Amino acid sequence: MTDDDEPYLSDLLGKQLMGATLSQAGPGGSPSCLVLHTEGQGPVSLQPHGATLSLTAAVLPADGTPAAEDGRDNAMARFTGSPIRSVREIRHRHDGVDRVAGLTFHFPGGNVRVLALDGALVLAHDQHLGPVEAHLYEDVTLARVVRTCLASPSQWDAWTTEGQYLYFRYRHGEGTVEQHPSADTDTWDGEESRLWTLWEDGTDDGEIALPDFLALAGLRLAPDAEVSVLSSWQGREVKVGWPTPDA
């Protein structure tokens, strides 16, 4: 990626985090930006612009060295050497306003949230941020899941409690979660489609149980979620119990 390329969240998926640098403190004492270095990818910068978080190609000094650290604890740097499984939006909902406030980065060993709060860059790892938590939301709870392939590869159609359609697939040890406008594949080529999650488990397997897939993908079922299997030879869905290794 060159400095002129616009990075996408999907560009980071599956990449190993090689380093994460917090810049020197900005206004109010908060770090001004976070630069991520990933394997095979140019550096990207995350920085607050008012109430939103921007993702841009990072411009490094001519000698290629990163900006100086600001000396504080860097939650992202704890995951150096780990692959990025997913990057998902964090929304802030309050007083009728719904906006993207940040991103959650998922690694095999945990998560890091990067947020723009009151114009400041905030990093949180296994940390409650106080009263603002009541207004932060991630669309990761599933209301309905339908298994669409009973053999290899393991595949499901899923819908979140917010109505977002997701396509799950697991083949040759690789799991993916894709976001699309609907289950109709004719709608899958637009700007509303993107890769949510990507991981490899080091096997060549083509089958995985739904509970294991969800755990690796960082997703969860709603308490009243409907889980079913599409029986193609009968042309109908069959509801199943939860949990079940065949779901």
Side-chain angles (χ1 to χ4, degrees), residues 123-181:
L123 274 70
H125 167 60
D126 295 335
Q127 176 185 353
H128 193 279
L129 297 176
V132 73
E133 289 284 2
H135 307 299
L136 299 179
Y137 175 83
E138 291 185 59
D139 192 14
V140 296
T141 305
L142 305 175
R144 182 181 174 217
V145 182
V146 181
R147 182 156 186 171
T148 57
C149 181
L150 300 181
S152 176
S154 297
Q155 295 181 160
W156 294 267
D157 289 332
W159 290 262
T160 70
T161 53
E162 295 286 298
Q164 175 62 60
Y165 167 76
L166 301 174
Y167 169 62
F168 302 165
R169 181 181 174 90
Y170 177 80
R171 186 178 187 184
H172 299 316
E174 180 181 275
T176 57
V177 177
E178 299 175 15
Q179 167 191 307
H180 297 291

Side-chain angles (χ1 to χ4, degrees), residues 41 51 63 78 179-180 201 219 221-222 245:
Q41 177 84 26
D63 61 4
R78 303 178 192 182
Q179 167 191 307
H180 297 291
D201 60 17
L219 300 168
L221 288 173

Side-chain angles (χ1 to χ4, degrees), residues 5-189:
D5 289 332
E6 183 72 19
Y8 294 94
L9 296 180
S10 57
D11 294 334
L12 303 175
L13 299 183
K15 302 292 197 310
Q16 184 176 16
L17 181 67
M18 306 303 292
T21 305
L22 277 173
S23 70
Q24 294 180 346
S30 64
S32 58
C33 75
L34 173 70
V35 177
L36 302 181
H37 304 266
T38 58
E39 185 178 20
Q41 177 84 26
V44 297
S45 174
L46 293 141
Q47 51 191 323
H49 282 284
T52 62
L53 185 73
S54 70
L55 176 70
T56 60
V59 180
L60 299 180
D63 61 4
T65 59
E69 291 274 8
D70 73 351
R72 70 189 67 207
D73 182 37
N74 184 343
M76 187 70 75
R78 303 178 192 182
F79 296 99
T80 297
S82 298
I84 300 173
R85 279 186 177 164
S86 68
V87 186
R88 287 201 280 270
E89 292 180 345
I90 304 171
R91 305 196 73 86
H92 184 280
R93 294 174 173 176
H94 186 54
D95 290 339
V97 178
D98 186 341
R99 60 178 175 82
V100 177
L103 301 168
T104 297
F105 289 78
H106 295 258
F107 300 93
N111 307 329
V112 177
R113 293 181 295 170
V114 184
L115 299 116
L117 298 177
D118 297 325
L121 184 70
V122 176
L123 274 70
H125 167 60
D126 295 335
Q127 176 185 353
H128 193 279
L129 297 176
V132 73
E133 289 284 2
H135 307 299
L136 299 179
Y137 175 83
E138 291 185 59
D139 192 14
V140 296
T141 305
L142 305 175
R144 182 181 174 217
V145 182
V146 181
R147 182 156 186 171
T148 57
C149 181
L150 300 181
S152 176
S154 297
Q155 295 181 160
W156 294 267
D157 289 332
W159 290 262
T160 70
T161 53
E162 295 286 298
Q164 175 62 60
Y165 167 76
L166 301 174
Y167 169 62
F168 302 165
R169 181 181 174 90
Y170 177 80
R171 186 178 187 184
H172 299 316
E174 180 181 275
T176 57
V177 177
E178 299 175 15
Q179 167 191 307
H180 297 291
S182 74
D184 182 355
T185 56
D186 289 339
T187 69
W188 288 18
D189 294 329

Side-chain angles (χ1 to χ4, degrees), residues 201-217:
D201 60 17
T203 72
D204 196 40
D205 293 343
E207 294 189 51
I208 188 172
L210 180 59
D212 296 330
F213 186 97
L214 297 182
L216 289 165

